[in-house]
Amino acid sequence: RMPVSVPGADRWQRASAAFSLSFLSLVFSITAFSSSYWCEGTRKVAKPFCTGQSQGDHCIRFNSPDANNSNGVQYIWETGDDKFIDQKFHAGIWYSCEEIINEEGEKCRSFISLTPAADRGVLWLSIVAECLHIILLLTGAVLMSVEMCYYSTVIDGLKINSFSAVVTVLAGLLGMVAHMMYTTVFQMTVNLGPEDWRPHSWDYGWSYCLAWASFACCMAAAVTTINKYTKTILEFKHKRKTLERSLKTKYKFPDH
């Protein structure tokens, strides 16, 4: 005997898969948006003078305790990387933080204040797009959860399904645009930002990867929702054709 699939159970499975992907995308997006690890790297800074019990690995030592002695300027003769130290930093949409040499902790400052004035408008557009992206993701997840728990007519479910698909697609497009705008702004800041911030080397961090993972989950949720909507419509058309065929057969050959 051939197994028979249950359309209602299949639709619920697809709806739950779309909701899971949408919720995962929302969590990823909020985490990435609030973190400061979109980009990580190092910048070369001159070694400070050693004071007190400071070690010589991260500072410049004098040969003589007399600061006025000519031997005290030995650091002038240091060349190459011996005169500098790599200072780690990480930056996000909101903050840029860098480690404090010879001390614990980090020093953070607003990334918006570091951005060149000509590019701040693009950065604000990126922030607005990220906020709309999160709001639309939340709206889509709520609609999908309502569809899963809403036991009414299939027509009402289709209406909710189509609206959640449109909202999720818009959320994905806004997220993609926001990520690309931030990437452009960061690269411009690297080239034209303040001298005391420009990195020597940098790469994208885990938050940046998480933001694009959110985009991938969002588009997967949209495709799953659209696929569910299309399959439901096709099932309706098939049932209608079957019903019409049975009515025609009954009309031609009435049951006596």
Side-chain angles (χ1 to χ4, degrees), residues 119-133:
D119 297 309
R120 285 178 188 171
V122 180
L123 180 60
W124 279 112
L125 283 176
S126 174
I127 293 174
V128 171
E130 286 284 354
C131 292
L132 290 176
H133 167 68

Side-chain angles (χ1 to χ4, degrees), residues 36 39 89-97 108-116 119-120 123 127 181-190 194 197:
S36 60
C39 299
F89 84 98
H90 55 88
I93 293 178
W94 300 106
Y95 294 104
S96 175
C97 299
C108 297
R109 42 185 167 172
S110 172
F111 182 73
I112 299 173
S113 64
L114 300 173
T115 307
D119 297 309
R120 285 178 188 171
L123 180 60
I127 293 174
M181 283 194 295
Y182 176 79
T183 304
T184 303
V185 170
F186 185 83
Q187 291 174 349
M188 293 299 294
T189 307
V190 168
W197 179 85

Side-chain angles (χ1 to χ4, degrees), residues 17 33 36 52 65 71-72 118 129-130 147 151 153 171 184 194 210 225 241:
F33 184 64
S36 60
N71 292 327
E130 286 284 354
E147 182 191 359
Y151 297 100
T153 62
T184 303
L210 201 64
T225 306
K241 287 182 179 179

Side-chain angles (χ1 to χ4, degrees), residues 1-2 13 40 46 64 76 84 91 133 158 164 167 186 245:
R1 187 176 180 180
M2 296 294 293
Q13 289 176 356
E40 300 177 78
S64 170
I76 293 178
F84 297 93
H133 167 68
L158 277 174
S164 62
V167 167
F186 185 83
R245 194 178 299 114

Side-chain angles (χ1 to χ4, degrees), residues 38-106:
W38 284 63
C39 299
E40 300 177 78
T42 59
R43 49 185 302 267
K44 287 189 177 295
V45 296
K47 289 181 180 179
F49 297 119
C50 293
T51 56
Q53 301 297 323
S54 299
Q55 299 297 322
D57 294 338
H58 298 93
C59 60
I60 299 173
R61 289 176 293 184
F62 292 108
N63 283 343
S64 170
D66 184 6
N68 295 323
N69 193 302
S70 59
N71 292 327
V73 293
Q74 179 194 358
Y75 72 92
I76 293 178
W77 301 102
E78 294 190 27
T79 58
D81 292 338
D82 292 335
K83 187 178 178 181
F84 297 93
I85 186 173
D86 289 333
Q87 183 184 43
K88 295 181 180 179
F89 84 98
H90 55 88
I93 293 178
W94 300 106
Y95 294 104
S96 175
C97 299
E98 52 199 48
E99 65 178 350
I100 303 175
I101 302 174
N102 293 330
E103 293 183 23
E104 296 291 334
E106 294 180 327

